[in-house]
Amino acid sequence: MGELMTIEHRKNVITYLVFLLIALFGIYFGSSFFGQTKSLRVWDYTNLLWMLVGIPFLFLQTQSKLPNFWQRSISNRFRFKIPLVIGVIFGTLDVIIFQMVLPAEPYVELPPFLQPFPYSILLYFSGAFEVEVFYRLIPLTLILILGNWYRNGKYYNAFFWTGALLTAIREPLEQVPDGGVLLLLYSILTGFSMNLLQAIWYRKAGFLASLSIRLGHYLLWHILLGIYIEYMVLQQY
């Protein structure tokens, strides 16, 4: 059992380090675009240093009664496929509402929430990774390790739902859009729902499942929409 846990921890760390390498490559690649693209967003190396804060929590998933990254009992269908589809659904909704339903000024350049392809893949993968570390990995692990300890886990479910709700409401409150009441309600409702589902899937299938939901959303909202605007819309000008 001890050897199995050591293997699981090693897989967690190796996966985390691979993600950091992707972010590092994104910094190098994005730096080559300076002066060529307006509103370019590039990670700073301090972002990578901050991400190191998440490493100790990779060793606490079992103590928190959360699945390890590559838990053998969890299929890739639950780890990747279903969460990715959930994220794609939320991303599709955002594209429909913000790009088709709501009136918008015609694009003459890429807006700040879109980045040039293929750099956008690296940036938004790294961005999703960062969000999930600080919105899910660290807070939920801390809350649930406490819930598992307090009275021998008697109130573990209460701790989970408290943590899930608190982490779910954070992002929509940080990204309140300008607009009418209906737009505000849509943004808060969908943002809260997606983040809540991420917490549920984190408990069900681990950190990679939660990350996959966000990557599904970013795939539609940031990457594919960006490709369409960059290569279809802006080519008209």
Side-chain angles (χ1 to χ4, degrees):
M1 184 65 178
E3 182 181 356
L4 177 61
M5 291 306 299
T6 301
I7 292 173
E8 294 295 342
H9 293 163
R10 189 181 300 120
K11 289 179 180 178
N12 291 352
V13 173
I14 290 174
T15 304
Y16 199 92
L17 292 178
V18 168
F19 291 170
L20 289 178
L21 286 175
I22 293 173
L24 179 63
F25 181 66
I27 294 174
Y28 172 78
F29 189 49
S31 299
S32 66
F33 280 96
F34 271 130
Q36 303 178 34
T37 305
K38 294 182 179 179
S39 303
L40 188 71
R41 297 167 57 190
V42 180
W43 265 32
D44 189 87
Y45 289 104
T46 55
N47 289 86
L48 288 179
L49 294 178
W50 276 111
M51 296 299 290
L52 298 179
V53 175
I55 290 179
F57 297 89
L58 305 178
F59 299 90
L60 300 174
Q61 298 304 283
T62 301
Q63 292 90 325
S64 306
K65 296 177 68 174
L66 291 167
N68 284 290
F69 285 18
W70 300 97
Q71 189 92 13
R72 292 182 180 180
S73 59
I74 297 170
S75 69
N76 285 332
R77 177 171 177 266
F78 281 92
R79 184 181 288 116
F80 295 118
K81 292 181 181 179
I82 297 177
L84 191 67
V85 169
I86 293 172
V88 166
I89 291 172
F90 280 101
T92 302
L93 285 174
D94 279 354
V95 170
I96 292 173
I97 295 298
F98 289 100
Q99 300 298 315
M100 300 179 183
V101 175
L102 295 177
E105 295 291 329
Y107 291 108
V108 294
E109 62 182 21
L110 282 176
F113 73 93
L114 301 176
Q115 298 289 289
F117 180 83
Y119 170 64
S120 56
I121 296 176
L122 297 170
L123 178 68
Y124 289 113
F125 177 88
S126 303
F129 175 44
E130 180 183 34
V131 169
E132 290 310 305
V133 167
F134 290 102
Y135 281 38
R136 232 76 54 190
L137 177 67
I138 294 176
L140 283 182
T141 300
L142 286 173
I143 291 170
L144 294 180
I145 201 169
L146 180 61
N148 196 31
W149 165 81
Y150 183 69
R151 296 202 174 183
N152 295 318
K154 181 179 180 180
Y155 299 103
Y156 181 86
N157 283 334
F159 274 84
F160 168 74
W161 285 110
T162 299
L165 292 171
L166 289 175
T167 56
I169 197 62
R170 176 182 173 181
E171 185 176 29
L173 291 181
E174 290 178 346
Q175 300 184 8
V176 176
D178 296 326
V181 175
L182 291 179
L183 179 60
L184 178 64
L185 289 176
Y186 167 81
S187 179
I188 292 177
L189 178 61
T190 56
F192 176 80
S193 298
M194 191 183 90
N195 277 270
L196 183 61
L197 284 171
Q198 286 183 275
I200 292 170
W201 277 89
Y202 185 5
R203 183 182 182 183
K204 183 194 298 284
F207 176 80
L208 295 181
S210 176
L211 177 62
S212 293
I213 293 178
R214 185 164 296 274
L215 288 175
H217 178 269
Y218 284 10
L219 175 64
L220 265 293
W221 177 241
H222 289 298
I223 297 174
L224 294 182
L225 177 61
I227 292 172
Y228 170 73
I229 291 177
E230 182 179 4
Y231 292 101
M232 300 293 291
V233 176
L234 296 184
Q235 292 301 316
Q236 302 174 15
Y237 295 93

